[in-house]
Amino acid sequence: MIDQLEAAFNYHQQALGLRQDRHKVLASNIANADTPNYKARDMDFAGELKKAVAQGERNAGSLSLARTSARHLEGQGMPPANRDLLYRVPDQPSLDGNTVDMDRERTAFADNAVRYQAALTLMNRRIQGLKGAMQPE
């Protein structure tokens, strides 16, 4: 039963994690808008989501934590985030070598925030639906 629930939420879990990672990358770009020679980064969200979901299905329940003491409890953790960050090609390069375009970064940041909130709302509704289905009438 738990395996089926984990499989049902794998896509949403991976999407939320990727949205969070992309938010950090975009925030870093905005924070470094005035840093000389800073290169703006971003990720191919669709490609990364496809890889993460496929890896999540392959590794479902197979990752275990190392125990350094016999008194430690056994547990399972999430795999480390291996995101392929891409460099953004600037429309108009600056003289100091910085490739951050603030208009593009703000737009991407706002779009990512809205999509994160939408994914969170969808996941919450799905959980509420499953809870309603499990409760007796």
Side-chain angles (χ1 to χ4, degrees):
M1 175 80 174
I2 297 296
D3 293 339
Q4 292 173 346
L5 285 175
E6 183 179 347
F9 291 118
N10 182 38
Y11 176 83
H12 296 292
Q13 177 184 358
Q14 298 298 336
L16 284 173
L18 279 170
R19 288 274 172 219
Q20 178 184 3
D21 290 348
R22 184 165 188 239
H23 216 66
K24 289 178 185 177
V25 170
L26 294 172
S28 176
N29 288 347
I30 291 171
N32 288 295
D34 294 327
T35 305
N37 295 318
Y38 181 81
K39 306 300 181 207
R41 308 287 302 263
D42 203 355
M43 67 172 66
D44 173 26
F45 184 80
E48 289 295 322
L49 182 60
K50 193 179 292 186
K51 281 192 327 189
V53 169
Q55 185 172 356
E57 290 173 357
R58 274 196 317 269
N59 295 337
S62 66
L63 183 65
S64 62
L65 300 175
R67 290 175 36 180
T68 57
S69 171
R71 297 185 329 201
H72 289 168
L73 298 174
E74 291 185 33
Q76 293 184 340
M78 296 297 296
N82 290 334
R83 310 285 181 238
D84 292 330
L85 293 179
L86 308 171
Y87 288 101
R88 187 167 288 160
V89 177
D91 294 331
Q92 187 174 10
S94 64
L95 293 176
D96 65 356
N98 189 311
T99 62
V100 175
D101 179 6
M102 283 302 290
D103 292 332
R104 182 183 285 184
E105 298 301 329
R106 284 189 204 119
T107 303
F109 191 83
D111 178 65
N112 192 61
V114 168
R115 289 176 188 263
Y116 180 86
Q117 188 63 42
L120 200 58
T121 301
L122 287 172
M123 189 169 185
N124 191 20
R125 287 187 181 162
R126 187 158 187 188
I127 290 170
Q128 295 302 324
L130 286 173
K131 281 175 56 177
M134 287 186 223
Q135 292 176 351
E137 291 184 31

